[in-house]
Amino acid sequence: MKYETKVLTTKYQKPDAYGALSMPVYQTAAFEFPTAKAMSDAFCGRSMSPSYSRIANPTTTFLEERVRQITGAVSVAALNSGMAAISYALTAVSQTGLNIVASKHLFGNSVSLLHDTLGGFGVETRFADFTKLEEVKALIDDKTCALFFEIITNPQLFVPDIQKLAEIARGAGVPLIADTTIVPFSAFHAGVWGIDIEVVSSTKYISGGGTGLGGLLIDYGKFDWSKSPSTILQNRIKRYGKKQAFMARVKTELMTNLGAIMTPQVAYMETLGLDTLDIRFRRQAETTLWLAQQCQQLSEIKHVNYTGLEDNPFYELSLLQFGPLPGAVFTIALSSKETAFNFIDKLKIFRRATNLFDRKSLAIHPASTIFGLFTPEQCADMSVSDTIIRLSVGLEDGEDLLADIKESLVSK
């Protein structure tokens, strides 16, 4: 079945008592059991019954199952933010003394997580330009527990060669972990391209309206975790096997101990969001490509960056990996930071807000916000310029959005 059919035909874990066509919101902290043994089986993982909503909730489990079926994954964990998904993925594979080879072109908080948080626990991060494969390969050693990157970097919009990165990862016996938020899994199939673990901020396309925070951690079950240098994962293999050790650690340790499961209310809203995800994405991405093309004609704009433009240096690779519509975000460069601020202040349709892929179009100055706590030297190393504005395109009419951009470029 195709994406649209799969997403609308996922069955509930148990038949609903009233035949509800939408999975109900199970607004409860705990669940009653018929016997002491049934309770024990639930808590010890011998049954699929939920034990406590901090660990599993039927509404959240249904979202996980929907995502599992449409992606072809082996297991999915729904968490309460995209950063939680990234944190769980990298924590699950690492421990003191190991290292992660990561892209230096990452979302600001991902950099902080790696450098400050995991670094504080003795996990080394070796940052590399993932568009330069030899640079990545040179940093891998027998203590490397993961390669981590974004499939299109935010906000630089650089595109790594995923297939070649997967070959490097397989050759080194290291899992390839990718943040794929910028292109939804209705258009990009991570498992097909050799990605072992996929992390997604479901706050973005899946939510669609910025109504709740969420993150997805998707395991394609292809990596042999006996190759991992993590002794913690080696212990999980003894009980759960070579292919299940990673998600076993996530679900039996991290979700239980750290408590970042997605709430049932958000899971319900994101389940609804999945119904229209592909339709919304196609419309938003088509408008994005058209807007980017139109902005190239405006003399006030110094540069337009969208990998769907034929003169973009990553165009051919982007077309191969993501098709003609590589996401609903592009950037424009103006003459100075002051000009960028003035432009943002004048916008009337684009909202001055963070987030991506809302139904509403959004504008932000990344260097002073998402990367605002980094030094100018660090921003320069990450290719984050203070002349750049990131535009996330929503469902408004393209002509209206273009008029908003043109009017905001006027200096008076």
Side-chain angles (χ1 to χ4, degrees):
M1 289 188 291
K2 303 296 184 184
Y3 170 85
E4 296 87 347
T5 309
K6 282 184 180 180
V7 79
L8 291 167
T9 55
T10 306
K11 296 185 181 300
Y12 301 156
Q13 303 90 285
K14 293 183 179 181
D16 179 69
Y18 298 96
L21 286 177
S22 291
M23 165 59 82
V25 179
Y26 284 86
Q27 185 60 56
T28 182
F31 304 87
E32 185 177 9
F33 297 91
T35 65
K37 183 180 184 305
M39 185 183 295
S40 175
D41 287 345
F43 272 81
C44 296
R46 293 187 293 269
S47 77
M48 296 301 294
S49 297
S51 57
Y52 191 58
S53 282
R54 177 169 53 79
I55 301 167
N57 178 282
T59 311
T60 307
T61 300
F62 179 65
L63 174 65
E64 293 173 339
E65 179 59 18
R66 262 194 161 188
V67 172
R68 190 190 69 79
Q69 290 202 21
I70 61 182
T71 59
V74 168
S75 186
V76 176
L79 302 164
N80 62 16
S81 71
M83 278 309 305
I86 294 170
S87 299
Y88 276 39
L90 297 180
T91 300
V93 299
S94 63
Q95 66 186 60
T96 301
L98 301 185
N99 68 75
I100 296 167
V101 176
S103 169
K104 69 177 183 178
H105 303 116
L106 292 172
F107 173 66
N109 287 116
S110 296
V111 175
S112 178
L113 167 70
L114 287 160
H115 185 270
D116 300 330
T117 308
L118 292 178
F121 291 113
V123 179
E124 179 190 1
T125 298
R126 300 171 178 178
F127 290 102
D129 183 343
F130 268 49
T131 65
K132 299 177 180 177
L133 299 173
E134 291 304 316
E135 189 175 318
V136 175
K137 190 184 296 186
L139 294 177
I140 301 172
D141 62 21
D142 60 358
K143 296 295 184 182
T144 302
C145 59
L147 301 185
F148 177 60
F149 71 108
E150 296 173 1
I151 58 170
I152 302 179
T153 68
N154 172 23
Q156 306 90 347
L157 304 184
F158 296 162
V159 181
D161 189 321
I162 300 169
Q163 204 162 35
K164 290 182 179 177
L165 284 172
E167 290 171 3
I168 291 172
R170 281 196 301 271
V174 174
L176 187 63
I177 303 177
D179 184 338
T180 67
T181 299
I182 204 161
V183 182
F185 39 62
S186 64
F188 173 72
H189 309 292
V192 173
W193 287 90
I195 292 168
D196 296 300
I197 304 295
E198 180 178 16
V199 292
V200 179
S201 173
S202 56
T203 309
K204 311 300 191 294
Y205 288 117
I206 296 174
S207 169
T211 53
L213 295 172
L216 296 169
L217 180 50
I218 303 170
D219 181 1
Y220 287 93
K222 295 180 179 179
F223 188 75
D224 179 354
W225 294 100
S226 67
K227 298 176 180 178
S228 171
S230 166
T231 56
I232 300 172
L233 286 175
Q234 296 308 312
N235 290 331
R236 293 293 187 282
I237 289 172
K238 296 173 184 176
R239 180 172 179 182
Y240 299 103
K242 295 179 180 180
K243 299 296 181 69
Q244 287 78 35
F246 169 84
M247 194 57 84
R249 186 178 186 198
V250 169
K251 292 207 168 186
T252 65
E253 177 192 337
L254 301 183
M255 290 182 76
T256 303
N257 295 349
L258 300 181
I261 191 172
M262 184 183 288
T263 65
Q265 301 95 326
V266 170
Y268 174 78
M269 290 187 288
E270 295 198 353
T271 297
L272 296 181
L274 282 176
D275 292 350
T276 59
L277 167 62
D278 193 57
I279 295 171
R280 287 184 284 104
F281 164 68
R282 301 289 169 188
R283 164 69 185 276
Q284 289 173 269
E286 286 169 1
T287 304
T288 302
L289 175 58
W290 181 82
L291 268 181
Q293 291 168 337
Q294 299 306 307
C295 284
Q296 286 185 308
Q297 311 305 315
L298 303 177
S299 60
E300 299 92 341
I301 296 176
K302 305 305 177 185
H303 180 65
V304 179
N305 189 7
Y306 182 61
T307 66
L309 295 172
E310 292 186 12
D311 61 351
N312 187 282
F314 295 106
Y315 174 73
E316 294 295 338
L317 182 58
S318 177
L319 184 65
L320 175 68
Q321 295 179 163
F322 315 117
L325 299 172
V329 62
F330 72 106
T331 67
I332 59 174
L334 300 183
S335 59
S336 66
K337 178 180 177 181
E338 181 183 10
T339 305
F341 270 43
N342 288 336
F343 170 83
I344 291 173
D345 289 347
K346 291 177 182 178
L347 290 168
K348 294 181 174 62
I349 298 177
F350 281 89
R351 312 299 179 97
R352 288 171 287 277
T354 190
N355 201 15
L356 288 167
F357 317 130
D358 195 316
R359 290 189 288 269
K360 305 175 186 67
S361 293
L362 311 172
I364 195 169
H365 183 257
S368 65
T369 54
I370 300 166
F371 295 87
L373 297 180
F374 292 93
T375 66
E377 292 76 20
Q378 288 173 313
C379 285
D381 188 51
M382 292 184 283
S383 303
V384 178
S385 167
D386 64 5
T387 65
I388 296 296
I389 297 162
R390 189 186 75 185
L391 300 173
S392 172
V393 179
L395 292 172
E396 302 93 343
D397 181 80
E399 293 279 0
D400 291 335
L401 292 173
L402 180 60
D404 195 28
I405 291 171
K406 288 181 176 179
E407 291 168 10
S408 300
L409 288 170
V410 177
S411 58
K412 292 182 179 180

